[in-house]
Amino acid sequence: MQWIALVAGWSVAAIFAAWVLVFANGTPAEPLVSQPGDFVKVLLNALTIAGLYFIVASGFTLIFGLMRVVNLAHGSFFLLGGYIALEFQKLMVGKSRNILGDDVGVFDWVIPLLLAAMIAGILGLIMQQVFLRWFQGQDMRETMITIAISVILADMMVSWFGGIGVDIQWPGLIDRAITVSGVRYSVSRLFMLGVAIVVGVALWAWLQKTRTGMVIRAGVDDTSMVQALGINVQLVFALAFFVGSALAGMGGVMGGSFAGLAAGVDGQWLLNSIIVVIVGGLGSLKGALAGSLLLGVVTAFAPSYLPAGFTNYSIIFTFVLLGAVLAWRPYGLFGTPE
Amino acid sequence: MTAADNNASRPRGRVVTFERALLVFAVALLLVLPAFTSDFFVSFVLTQGLLLGIAAASLIFLAAYGGMVSLAQTLLFGVSGFVIGNAVTTGGSKGLNLGLDPWLGVALGVGITTVLAFFLGAVASRSTGLYFLMITLTFGVIGFYFFGQVTTFSGFGGINQVRAPDFVGTPGQFPERLYFLALAVSVIVYVVLRYIARTPFGLSLQGIRDDHVRMSSMGYNVWVHRTLAFTLAGFVASLAGVLFIWWNRQIDPASIGMGEILALLIIAVIGGINRLEGAWVGAIVFVMVNNYVRDVPGLNQIGLTEARFNTIIGLIFLIIVLLSPDGFIGIGQRVVRLLTPRAWHTSQAPGSDSGSGPSVTAGSRSDSGSGSAETTGNK
């Protein structure tokens, strides 16, 4: 069975490559041989959006890996983080509307980012301590509680921040485009990728090189054994929930600068996180990376390399990715069966 | 676990009789209610409640008997509506505008939805518990974006002016006709699903819910059972979709968006996710809150106006999940037990009133394989 899947996987990859390379005439991007610049742009789009997927999904997967809680309020913390950062940015810039790139210094973006991540983390921690702690082990009930909180938060955010879409302004320094050998590309998107790499490396170093990280990894494998060794596992859970929610809030600030904030964005980013972790395997940071890259490639390439009249069908390819991975590995690429 | 499988095995004592009497009374009440209430109440509370109840019943059937909490039921409900919309409209809106006969539209809607449910079920049924929940959630949300983006079938504007067959008429004109149809479908769905739970298929499905590893080693094909159960639930959801499109006359992607997906789960949980009856109880409560929250004194003063309906329903949902995971049905059962003499309880199998929330942990139980059937039997 394994070799069939391998052959199928490589054939799909080969067909995809041949299509992008030579045959994609009549698509918005045109084939690689005739329009290499467009290909580079689409590839960069894939990588940069994958970076954002990774930041958000790594928080989701961290919480699940350690505590078996599917935090369906993750998207709400994303959106709330974005809105909070916007409020801080307005305060710091001193304008409540029409904020332009020139008004925003680097700190007018970074400080709101850190504050929003912090507040989202604290809210996640409160949710875990007040509601979830008492139902540890009842994973479906914990999930229902996070759903209830996401419904309430979504409605409250409409009430506080309105239903109209708003943007967080990038700092003027990076809110521009650069041109390298004929390819024009947005600096802020490259910056987003840079932040994702920094976050990824920091998470990896934290989990692999520190004592806390060691405890968390041990907790993922066997919580009761960690507890038996005299480690305060509740503290570790609280920390994981704080970091996981803070990552959602941080993602929200970047997503809000990149694509804007509006009612419904929370569900969209919850969906992105879920697809990433289902494809990559729940609870695995490696899986979150693989899932983000795959989803990034699909969401960037499908609209650009489908024939012009059919680009609105690109959502189907997300489903195809999900179905193909699940048919081959029901617990994701790096996941293990319960 | 709990009441669902007790029904199949427990001796028919007085409590069962009481429950049956209550059911018959409820149906009788629903039959005569239109005579005493306004057209608005019949259409917007009762009809909407019944059709949402049918959709929620498909969710509860999977959760209570199969241990699968599916969030794809709203999608299947919507696909049925979209197919009918595409099939019967003759122009004036997006979609294929095929202009077919309404009954042919129903056949297509139900048929296509059931086939789709089979394939979605085949993919999702290899997973269990929270994985299943998340996978079906992605199905639902991808479906929302699909109908939003693919203007061939709908687009975000949706499909308007969908005709119902002449004998149903328009809800504005004959609200009772659609209401009695919804009531009839509800009763049939309830009876058939209860019957299926007692067939060998239903019993092995419940066995798989309790311990799929054991059932698998005894030679049952777990995946096939789950897939077929999902297909059946998809069929039931498609019936609700038919009633919805006849009732609402239009459907757009917002009808199956994230909010609606969660609303169906909320209906199932506040009603009681381990009993089929909970579907209709939850749905009626849901639409009552939706329609009458503005009349509740005091709520406006603390900022919970009608526009904050989702906050109110979210709070109700949160309280139910925290305090009574078997929903209003569970609260009702506890009240009945408090009010009746102890001697009557002997015929009721133990375990059905455990406060630990067996229903909402359904997914985890089926994973861990702790076998709630054993627990019930041993007590």
Side-chain angles (χ1 to χ4, degrees):
Chain A
M1 278 309 282
Q2 204 67 17
W3 67 269
I4 299 179
L6 271 178
V7 169
W10 282 110
S11 334
V12 170
I15 293 168
F16 171 71
W19 174 263
V20 170
L21 203 60
V22 196
F23 297 106
N25 284 307
T27 65
E30 293 290 316
L32 174 59
V33 285
S34 58
Q35 289 286 349
D38 281 357
F39 174 79
V40 173
K41 268 189 201 168
V42 175
L43 186 65
L44 282 173
N45 282 348
L47 290 176
T48 48
I49 192 73
L52 189 50
Y53 289 152
F54 175 77
I55 291 178
V56 183
S58 59
F60 189 81
T61 210
L62 180 72
I63 292 173
F64 180 85
L66 194 61
M67 308 167 65
R68 303 279 158 218
V69 173
V70 171
N71 180 15
L72 293 182
H74 203 67
S76 312
F77 292 140
F78 175 97
L79 185 57
L80 190 58
Y83 278 128
I84 290 169
L86 182 61
E87 293 302 313
F88 279 118
Q89 190 178 55
K90 283 177 184 169
L91 268 178
M92 292 181 69
V93 174
K95 283 165 102 175
S96 65
R97 56 180 65 201
N98 296 330
I99 299 176
L100 301 172
D102 295 336
D103 303 332
V104 180
V106 174
F107 287 110
D108 297 329
W109 190 84
V110 172
I111 290 174
L113 172 89
L114 296 176
L115 286 172
M118 186 82 78
I119 293 173
I122 291 170
L123 286 173
L125 184 64
I126 291 173
M127 179 175 89
Q128 191 253 336
Q129 292 292 321
V130 174
F131 295 113
L132 299 181
R133 224 186 129 162
W134 318 108
F135 303 107
Q136 261 162 28
Q138 302 179 35
D139 49 12
M140 197 58 80
R141 195 163 176 184
E142 288 177 302
T143 304
M144 299 283 177
I145 293 170
T146 64
I147 291 176
I149 288 171
S150 79
V151 169
I152 296 169
L153 274 182
D155 197 49
M156 290 281 88
M157 281 190 281
V158 171
S159 147
W160 293 329
F161 303 109
I164 302 164
V166 286
D167 286 299
I168 303 169
Q169 178 61 47
W170 289 109
L173 193 65
I174 60 166
D175 192 19
R176 61 187 77 233
I178 47 162
T179 310
V180 177
S181 58
V183 180
R184 209 177 133 77
Y185 203 73
S186 143
V187 179
S188 58
R189 285 197 74 142
L190 296 173
F191 171 76
M192 206 161 77
L193 180 62
V195 174
I197 292 171
V198 170
V199 167
V201 170
L203 267 179
W204 175 83
W206 182 52
L207 290 174
Q208 297 291 329
K209 302 289 174 191
T210 65
R211 199 188 131 73
T212 323
M214 197 172 70
V215 171
I216 289 179
R217 278 185 295 133
V220 170
D221 288 340
D222 192 338
T223 314
S224 45
M225 190 66 217
V226 171
Q227 203 160 12
L229 290 172
I231 292 163
N232 186 349
V233 81
Q234 290 302 333
L235 207 63
V236 181
F237 284 170
L239 185 67
F241 232 98
F242 174 80
V243 174
S245 307
L247 283 168
M250 190 177 167
V253 183
M254 296 171 64
S257 315
F258 157 69
L261 305 165
V265 168
D266 47 353
Q268 199 183 332
W269 277 90
L270 176 65
L271 176 76
N272 290 339
S273 305
I274 290 180
I275 293 178
V276 165
V277 297
I278 290 176
V279 167
L282 263 166
S284 146
L285 206 60
K286 242 190 311 182
L289 182 63
S292 307
L293 286 171
L294 278 173
L295 184 61
V297 165
V298 167
T299 46
F301 277 81
S304 304
Y305 282 97
L306 279 171
F310 295 91
T311 48
N312 52 3
Y313 286 87
S314 57
I315 185 75
I316 295 174
F317 285 83
T318 310
F319 179 74
V320 170
L321 170 72
L322 193 71
V325 170
L326 284 177
W328 176 36
R329 292 182 68 97
Y331 293 93
L333 296 176
F334 292 94
T336 44
E338 294 289 296
Chain B
M1 63 217 51
T2 73
D5 54 357
N6 294 333
N7 283 330
S9 57
R10 77 176 171 219
R12 287 171 194 185
R14 276 187 183 142
V15 178
V16 177
T17 319
F18 174 75
E19 281 172 5
R20 289 195 171 169
L22 202 62
L23 271 174
V24 171
F25 173 74
V27 172
L29 183 69
L30 286 171
L31 273 173
V32 298
L33 216 47
F36 305 104
T37 52
S38 66
D39 282 358
F40 173 84
F41 187 82
V42 170
S43 191
F44 283 88
V45 176
L46 294 179
T47 311
Q48 194 186 5
L50 286 176
L51 72 89
L52 284 175
I54 297 168
S58 78
L59 195 160
I60 291 185
F61 172 75
L62 285 177
Y65 298 108
M68 304 184 277
V69 180
S70 162
L71 296 180
Q73 301 314 113
T74 310
L75 170 67
L76 297 166
F77 163 91
V79 166
S80 157
F82 277 113
V83 170
I84 293 173
N86 276 294
V88 305
T89 48
T90 49
S93 73
K94 297 270 187 190
L96 297 172
N97 290 319
L98 294 176
L100 300 176
D101 180 76
W103 289 108
L104 189 56
V106 171
L108 280 174
V110 172
I112 291 175
T113 308
T114 311
V115 172
L116 178 70
F118 175 79
F119 285 109
L120 294 183
V123 173
S125 293
R126 294 182 65 188
S127 315
T128 51
L130 293 172
Y131 283 80
F132 185 87
L133 180 135
M134 281 190 284
I135 290 166
T136 49
L137 175 63
T138 57
F139 288 168
V141 184
I142 288 176
F144 163 75
Y145 286 112
F146 176 83
F147 283 110
Q149 289 175 4
V150 180
T151 44
T152 319
F153 299 126
S154 161
F156 280 109
I159 298 175
N160 304 306
Q161 295 164 331
V162 181
R163 285 177 299 138
D166 292 334
F167 102 100
V168 179
T170 62
Q173 213 179 348
F174 307 109
E176 281 88 4
R177 290 190 183 178
L178 193 58
Y179 169 69
F180 284 118
L181 184 66
L183 183 59
V185 176
S186 296
V187 171
I188 293 168
V189 162
Y190 176 78
V191 171
V192 168
L193 288 182
R194 284 294 292 263
Y195 170 76
I196 286 173
R198 294 173 188 218
T199 60
F201 168 78
L203 292 175
S204 42
L205 186 67
Q206 291 170 60
I208 287 166
R209 171 200 67 200
D210 293 335
D211 192 341
H212 63 92
V213 176
R214 188 179 296 176
M215 290 300 279
S216 175
S217 60
M218 289 196 316
Y220 289 90
N221 191 326
V222 170
W223 178 73
V224 166
H225 275 82
R226 285 198 180 127
T227 305
L228 289 180
F230 194 86
T231 313
L232 175 67
F235 172 76
V236 172
S238 77
L239 297 179
V242 173
L243 292 168
F244 174 77
I245 194 85
W246 286 352
W247 174 75
N248 198 37
R249 292 299 150 127
Q250 65 99 224
I251 186 162
D252 56 27
S255 319
I256 59 168
M258 183 67 117
E260 308 304 313
I261 293 173
L262 296 183
L264 200 63
L265 178 71
I266 291 174
I267 286 173
V269 172
I270 62 179
I273 200 168
N274 57 348
R275 308 252 344 197
L276 273 180
E277 300 87 339
W280 287 276
V281 174
I284 296 281
V285 170
F286 186 86
V287 291
M288 292 278 270
V289 173
N290 199 349
N291 280 306
Y292 296 107
V293 71
R294 73 189 89 126
D295 300 331
V296 179
L299 276 182
N300 279 318
Q301 277 72 26
I302 56 168
L304 291 176
T305 56
E306 201 186 348
R308 295 281 73 79
F309 162 68
N310 275 320
T311 301
I312 294 164
I313 207 78
L315 284 172
I316 295 175
F317 179 51
L318 182 63
I319 291 166
I320 289 279
V321 174
L322 291 174
L323 301 181
S324 171
D326 39 5
F328 280 110
I329 293 266
I331 294 174
Q333 281 174 331
R334 259 169 265 157
V335 170
V336 169
R337 283 174 67 84
L338 279 177
L339 297 181
T340 49
R342 279 199 77 79
W344 285 20
H345 301 154
T346 49
S347 61
Q348 196 181 17
S352 63
D353 65 334
S354 59
S356 61
S359 57
V360 184
T361 55
S364 64
R365 288 261 184 116
S366 64
D367 264 350
S368 62
S370 62
S372 51
E374 290 172 319
T375 4
T376 326
N378 290 342
K379 267 187 192 171

